[in-house]
Structure formats: C-alpha cells, structure tokens
Amino acid sequence: MKTLVLLGAGASVDAGVPASNSMSEKIGAILGASPMNVHRGVVHAFNYAVGAMIAHRSASGANPYDGIDIEQLFSAVQMLSEKEALEVAPFVEWSSALQAIGAPARIPPFFDKNLKKALQQTRGFNDAGKLIEQLVHAVTGTKDSERTFKELEKQMLVALVDLVEVQPSEVDYLQPLLDINGGAPVDIVTLNYDRSIELAAEAAGKVCDTGITTWAGAQDWDWDAGAFVRLLKLHGSIDWLLLERDGPGGVSEPFVTIRQGPIENFEFSGSGGPGVVFGARGKVRARGPFLAMLRAFDDLLRTAERVLVIGYSFRDDHVNVALSRWLNSSAPRSLYVVDPGFADMTGWEHRGSYQSALLQAAEHFNYQAQTAQPKLHLHVSSEYARPALAKFAEEGLESIPLHVRQRP
C-alpha cells in the first residue's frame, strides 16, 4: 500500500531543530546578542512585533505564554516592511509606537562645517536657516520603520538558517521513513526548511530529489526518474536561493539555485533572496516555485493510498485544502497522525479547527441505525517522532491504533 509522508515542524525537533513557537524566542536571543542590531533599531522592531502579537492574542482570551509561531512572526515582519504598499494601507492609521521604530537620529554630515560657512556669508541667513531645518527634521522627523523591518527580516532569516542546521548524526531516527513502502520508492512532503531528509537519504545511500534544480519557472514539476526519495519542500529550503535571469523571450524569469557558502555572504536584493516562504500571502505569490509545488502536492496525493502525518499542526490552509480533496475523493481514506496533542483537540476551544473536523469524520455515528459509520479511518499516535518511528521499524504503521470514540 503506497504511503505519502507529510512532515511538519514536530518531525525535526528530535534532530535539534526548535519547534515553531520556541524558534521565535531563540531568534530574538540571537538578534539581541548583536550590538549593531540594537543600535540600528532591529531589536526594537523585533520586540515590538512580538509584543504586539502577544497583546492582540491575549486580548481575545488566548494564553499569552504559549509563544509566537515563527511563521506568523515572519509574515508580520514582511508586511510591516512594506506596510504602505499593502491594499489596506489607505484605511489604516499606524501606531505612533510603530512609526518611532528605526535607527537613532543622525546629525547631517558636515553640519557644523556647513553651518559655520553659512553664518559667515554676508547676504542674510537663508542657507543657515535651511541647514537648521534639516537638523531639526533629522532629529525629530519620522523614522524609516519599513527599512528597519526589512533589515529585521534579513537578520531573522540569517538566524533561522543557523537554527535549522542539522548534522547527519542527528537524523538517524528518520531512517524508517525510507522503508515506509516496504523497499519501494517513497514520496515525502515537508513543510520544514531543514535538510534532515536529504541527510537521512544520503546516509542510507538513497538518491533524493527535490525537483528544484530542474524547475524551469513553469507550473510543471519534474522528478529525477532514478530518485528513491521524491522530496517536495513546500515552504522552501535553507539552501535555496531564489534569483532572476533573462529568459529566452527577453524578459526576466525566476529560478532557484543551491546556495554555496554562508548566507551572511549573500546580498539580499529585490531580485533575489532565500528560497523560503512564510504565511498565507507568501505561499501563493506568483514569483517562485511555490504555486508549482502546491500543484505537485496534489499530484502526489492522487497516487497515495494512505497518508502518514508527523508533527504537523494543520494550520496551513493550502495543505489542508489539498488533504481535504484527497480525503473526499475516495472515502473512507486512511490517515495516520503522529502528534502528542492531536487526540485532545476535542474541546470547545478547538471547534472549527482542522483537527476537530478530522476527529468528527472518524467518529461519525449513524443514530438511525445506532452504529458507527466513520467517514475516515483515522489512526492516532500520541508519541513524538523518534519513538513513533522506532515502533514503525519494528511493527509497521499498524502499530498506530485506530481512533474510535466510545459512545453510550
């Protein structure tokens, strides 16, 4: 039975990658350790964004100590770096605290020399007055918060690359995934930016292909016919660089190359940057391979007979919609979930969540016939990735129990 594997952030925690919520705290610590980031207002911008998000969430009754999801934080920082270009900008009055974010005021260069020269002139004080106006504006004028948030985005990406770097010795627990189809090739879809699966495949002597090096800018996604692992990295990868080049028709087109050397050496610009995306807006942007990968995800699902989900929080609408299409195309489907907190998503506070919808489908009950008629065969493991995968190696996916709700 062909199994498609879907990995979320929880699948990489055992490799030393921080979970989504703790990632924000660790990035803040890295930024704060740099005096230059403090001086340029980058740390101020980071703390403002985190504080505002916590305040907004807690105002609606949510727990303020749960931490900030790194994807939501990145998405917020990206929007603040271009806030005047957003569609809602004409209708928004930005916070005065936001407008105060930026590098400290600087006296215009050569101000004292130019002022002295202007005062020595005999024909009035017009030039001196203009210089003083420039000084007052420089010291008291509105700071360029957009530029500061753009710099914050860059520094966060540099810190992210460092935090998700894993070593080959840390990914051995992922080896059972490579045998999930009984020795046949395997399709793995990951929402993570790290290279855990690539390293695991390399250690096992298996060819792993992400399809990114042959992507030609279109909606098609081509795979290496000799690949044992087809790895679809829906949110990008820490070693991808998204660039532009002149196409055959004379207009620019995007392409992705594999980064060589530290990301700090790469010059971020309007025509290039790391090949990763955050938030709903980023994942549907026309530029880059991300729409093509969503289409490839649908193609992989069409050939899957069952899906194994590890460490995914079900908070990506694009992924959830694709899963829903697959689940509804041939009910009842078999879905296997490895998540310590999944089975607890039954309270009123979780109503409307995707997890709650899955649990309801698995617990469907025909009251007229007084019998259970599940619309989904849902298997749930409350273990973390490492112990769950160790059990798979011994007993297979059948080690994950079928979720059944006992009714009176």
Side-chain angles (χ1 to χ4, degrees):
M1 183 173 289
K2 186 176 181 181
T3 303
L4 171 70
V5 179
L6 173 61
L7 304 179
S12 292
V13 170
D14 287 308
V17 178
S20 296
N21 285 6
S22 62
M23 182 82 75
S24 300
E25 182 179 353
K26 292 183 180 297
I27 286 179
I30 293 174
L31 297 177
S34 166
M36 183 61 71
N37 284 335
V38 175
H39 175 73
R40 291 184 298 185
V42 170
V43 174
H44 182 187
F46 179 87
N47 292 340
Y48 171 85
V50 171
M53 293 176 72
I54 291 175
H56 179 75
R57 188 177 63 190
S58 59
S60 62
N63 187 348
Y65 302 106
D66 280 346
I68 296 297
D69 179 86
I70 188 61
E71 281 213 35
Q72 295 177 357
L73 179 57
F74 258 109
S75 182
V77 168
Q78 287 176 333
M79 285 191 283
L80 288 171
S81 73
E82 53 183 37
K83 64 181 189 300
E84 296 302 333
L86 298 177
E87 293 86 346
V88 298
F91 313 100
V92 175
E93 183 176 350
W94 301 106
S95 164
S96 59
L98 175 61
Q99 302 295 356
I101 291 174
R106 298 178 59 186
I107 296 176
F110 308 110
F111 172 77
D112 52 347
K113 180 180 179 181
N114 293 335
L115 180 62
K116 180 179 179 180
K117 181 179 179 180
L119 290 173
Q120 290 174 344
Q121 293 179 347
T122 57
R123 58 178 192 280
F125 296 95
N126 289 337
D127 291 342
K130 290 179 181 178
L131 287 171
I132 293 172
E133 285 180 7
Q134 292 174 6
L135 173 65
V136 172
H137 179 74
V139 175
T140 65
T142 301
K143 297 180 179 179
D144 189 353
S145 63
E146 287 195 1
R147 179 179 297 179
T148 304
F149 277 102
K150 178 58 71 175
E151 178 64 22
L152 170 59
E153 179 188 354
K154 173 183 175 180
Q155 295 302 326
M156 287 177 65
L157 282 167
V158 171
L160 175 73
V161 169
D162 182 59
L163 287 171
V164 302
E165 195 73 49
V166 297
Q167 301 302 318
S169 60
E170 298 172 323
V171 299
D172 59 308
Y173 70 97
L174 295 171
Q175 290 294 333
L177 290 178
L178 306 183
D179 196 41
I180 203 74
N181 287 328
V186 60
D187 295 333
I188 300 177
V189 179
T190 180
L191 310 182
N192 303 328
Y193 312 110
D194 61 70
R195 301 188 65 253
S196 297
I197 296 298
E198 293 97 314
L199 293 174
E202 182 178 337
K206 305 292 187 183
V207 176
C208 178
D209 180 37
T210 64
I212 195 63
T213 55
T214 56
W215 176 67
Q219 292 300 303
D220 297 323
W221 202 260
D222 297 322
W223 299 100
D224 179 352
F228 184 85
V229 180
R230 295 194 297 186
L231 177 63
L232 188 65
K233 307 189 79 170
L234 282 181
H235 293 178
S237 182
I238 59 169
D239 62 337
W240 292 0
L241 289 177
L242 179 59
L243 305 171
E244 288 189 359
R245 62 189 173 195
D246 290 335
V251 295
S252 65
E253 63 178 8
F255 74 102
V256 175
T257 186
I258 304 301
R259 173 174 55 84
Q260 303 294 329
I263 193 172
E264 294 91 334
N265 298 340
F266 179 76
E267 291 295 328
F268 291 63
S269 67
S271 61
V276 296
V277 290
F278 309 96
R281 294 172 74 250
K283 293 159 193 168
V284 294
R285 66 186 185 188
R287 179 176 173 270
F290 306 104
L291 285 175
M293 286 195 289
L294 286 173
R295 179 176 174 179
F297 182 34
D298 272 324
D299 292 340
L300 294 180
L301 281 170
R302 268 193 289 271
T303 64
E305 297 172 274
R306 58 186 181 181
V307 172
L308 168 62
V309 181
I310 302 177
Y312 170 48
S313 61
F314 293 94
R315 287 186 294 185
D316 187 312
D317 287 341
H318 302 98
V319 172
N320 293 349
V321 167
L323 279 176
S324 295
R325 283 194 291 264
W326 177 77
L327 291 170
N328 292 326
S329 64
S330 181
R333 291 286 198 178
S334 293
L335 181 68
Y336 296 76
V337 177
V338 176
D339 183 349
F342 184 89
D344 297 328
M345 302 285 286
T346 55
W348 65 268
E349 69 273 20
H350 301 297
R351 284 183 299 179
S353 69
Y354 196 77
Q355 293 97 320
S356 178
L358 293 175
L359 289 167
Q360 289 177 24
E363 298 167 2
H364 185 261
F365 191 81
N366 186 324
Y367 285 95
Q368 184 175 358
Q370 285 297 297
T371 182
Q373 292 183 347
K375 297 183 177 181
L376 166 66
H377 295 319
L378 179 64
H379 300 253
V380 180
S381 168
S382 297
E383 295 184 286
Y384 289 93
R386 183 183 290 273
L389 287 170
K391 188 175 289 187
F392 294 168
E394 296 291 331
E395 307 173 27
L397 278 183
E398 290 70 24
S399 63
I400 302 182
L402 182 67
H403 176 80
V404 178
R405 189 175 205 181
Q406 299 297 325
R407 295 179 179 270

